[in-house]
Amino acid sequence: MESVPVRCPACRRDHVYVTAAYPCPCGAPTAPPLLRGASVTAITHRTWNDDWVTVRCRACGRHDQWPQPELCCPCGAVLRIPVRPVASLGRAPDGGPHLADRPVRPSHIPLPRTASAPRPAFRPLTIRTARDAVGAAALYLKWLGYREVVQPAERPSSRIDLRAAGLIAQVDSTTRTTALRDVECLWLNALNTSVSAVFFSLAGYAPDARERADGLTIPLFVMDLTGTPQPVNSPADELVSTGA
């Protein structure tokens, strides 16, 4: 697997990003080629078209679209990892459509190292719409062990996207970072109904929102377009470790 050093432009923390390989339709493991030496950028606004990159399978030569590599820094910033561009798009050797029309569903995601007991491998839902983001969060809550996870047909005025036994969750699928007010509103809703709360965001969290969530012990997760949530604060790490 390819790896590159990454420095967060927000907090200056150093990381090593290791690219994830997913199976091409031909069966060969394929990953976006990382661009060494290029500066990473913090994602503050998302556009669905810009969050996919073209990748060429070395085994069969197929060109398809894959989620842009991203890294979630513990400071709350979501970083976009540059990749080497592919010269031409082309069609698949079998004449079929690109992966934009056939969404990639990774075969498995490794278990968190902190997990205290074995769990089945989490199978994410590729995110292309706001509804997909809610669906991906629902799958993750079930994977953590929550029962009776319910997704309302329409979003209520309380902005609660998911309910489970003893839990409510909000999913921010907008292109802006999640604000302090959003975290506090979720906490108040949970307090009024005597349940716990979890927040999922596609674009990360404002620093004051992250700080407030730490004080209220609300788990915060950031999701990339593969539909894989990543914990960004201590309550989220603990939830992943212990499960529901």
Side-chain angles (χ1 to χ4, degrees):
M1 292 184 292
E2 190 178 7
S3 64
V4 293
V6 174
R7 172 165 291 182
C8 176
C11 69
R12 312 303 295 173
R13 188 173 305 187
D14 290 322
H15 307 275
V16 175
Y17 176 81
V18 180
T19 186
Y22 300 127
C24 173
C26 77
T30 307
L34 304 181
L35 186 60
R36 293 183 175 274
S39 300
V40 301
T41 56
I43 300 174
T44 56
H45 294 83
R46 286 188 180 276
T47 59
W48 298 108
N49 291 337
D50 292 340
D51 281 333
W52 298 84
V53 294
T54 302
V55 176
R56 178 182 180 274
C57 175
R58 294 184 178 180
C60 69
R62 181 187 183 95
H63 291 70
D64 275 321
Q65 288 188 310
W66 296 72
Q68 168 78 44
E70 296 175 1
L71 182 146
C72 302
C73 181
C75 76
V78 183
L79 310 178
R80 178 174 286 125
I81 311 299
V83 301
R84 294 198 301 272
V86 174
S88 61
L89 186 62
R91 296 291 291 179
D94 60 5
H98 298 300
L99 228 57
D101 301 315
R102 300 186 297 188
V104 175
R105 299 184 184 277
S107 59
H108 72 281
I109 298 295
L111 291 177
R113 293 181 180 178
T114 54
S116 57
R119 295 191 191 105
F122 175 61
R123 295 182 178 273
L125 170 68
T126 302
I127 298 175
R128 289 184 175 279
T129 67
R131 193 70 177 173
D132 288 342
V134 177
L139 289 176
Y140 193 73
L141 291 178
K142 293 176 183 178
W143 180 74
L144 287 173
Y146 286 99
R147 297 175 291 106
E148 303 171 16
V149 180
V150 177
Q151 180 179 348
E154 295 183 3
R155 197 182 200 197
S157 57
S158 63
R159 297 191 294 173
I160 301 304
D161 296 291
L162 295 166
R163 295 182 182 275
L167 178 85
I168 58 175
Q170 187 169 333
V171 182
D172 187 352
S173 58
T174 65
T175 60
R176 60 172 177 79
T177 55
T178 298
L180 170 65
R181 177 180 175 82
D182 297 323
V183 171
E184 290 182 334
C185 286
L186 176 64
W187 174 74
L188 287 173
N189 277 306
L191 187 66
N192 289 336
T193 52
S194 300
V195 296
S196 301
V198 176
F199 214 118
F200 297 88
S201 176
L202 276 179
Y205 301 86
D208 55 354
R210 163 77 183 275
E211 182 178 359
R212 185 64 168 148
D214 289 344
L216 298 173
T217 65
I218 295 178
L220 301 181
F221 291 88
V222 170
M223 294 191 293
D224 61 21
L225 295 185
T226 66
T228 307
Q230 298 291 338
V232 296
N233 67 349
S234 295
D237 285 331
E238 182 177 353
L239 178 57
V240 173
S241 176
T242 62

